[in-house]
Amino acid sequence: MSNAFRYAKKNEGLALDKDGSYARLSVFNPAPQLRAEDLGHLFERFYTADKSRSSSGSGLGLSVVKKLTEEMGGKITDVSLSQHILKIKIGFPLCQK
């Protein structure tokens, strides 16, 4: 989330909602440099779609997000790009009582 807010100048945000037995966190931010073919690689270690930032970023951020999400029992439920806005949805199972 910090990258979304650090690099986005506008139209960034997050939302939290419930989807069945999952709490879903959605993070979205402008990604004008991103192409549809990049989406399948975003969670790979060292992948940087924005070549202009390659010197200041390691490309580890989203791979760490995915690993931590999975370690906490969650999953990446959707990654989409529409009108240059990247949206990532992460689901975490709700506790069953």
Side-chain angles (χ1 to χ4, degrees):
M1 289 185 288
S2 68
N3 276 355
F5 295 119
R6 179 180 303 145
Y7 296 109
K9 304 296 185 220
K10 60 180 180 174
N11 297 328
E12 76 279 359
L14 59 101
L16 183 62
D17 64 9
K18 183 179 175 186
D19 183 15
S21 61
Y22 277 84
R24 184 175 55 203
L25 174 67
S26 300
V27 180
F28 52 94
N29 64 280
Q33 75 289 351
L34 203 61
R35 302 170 311 203
E37 51 269 17
D38 292 321
L39 295 181
H41 303 284
L42 290 179
F43 297 95
E44 294 175 6
R45 291 179 56 185
F46 307 117
Y47 185 78
T48 55
D50 185 351
K51 304 307 178 203
S52 67
R53 281 189 9 206
S54 62
S55 63
S56 64
S58 64
L60 287 173
L62 289 177
S63 67
V64 171
V65 165
K66 183 177 181 188
K67 181 70 173 166
L68 286 174
T69 298
E70 291 170 349
E71 290 291 324
M72 292 186 289
K75 61 183 177 178
I76 308 297
T77 61
D78 188 44
V79 179
S80 62
L81 183 66
S82 177
Q83 297 180 336
H84 301 290
I85 302 292
L86 173 65
K87 183 181 272 189
I88 298 174
K89 295 180 182 179
I90 303 170
F92 293 98
L94 295 170
C95 295
Q96 302 297 320
K97 293 184 177 184

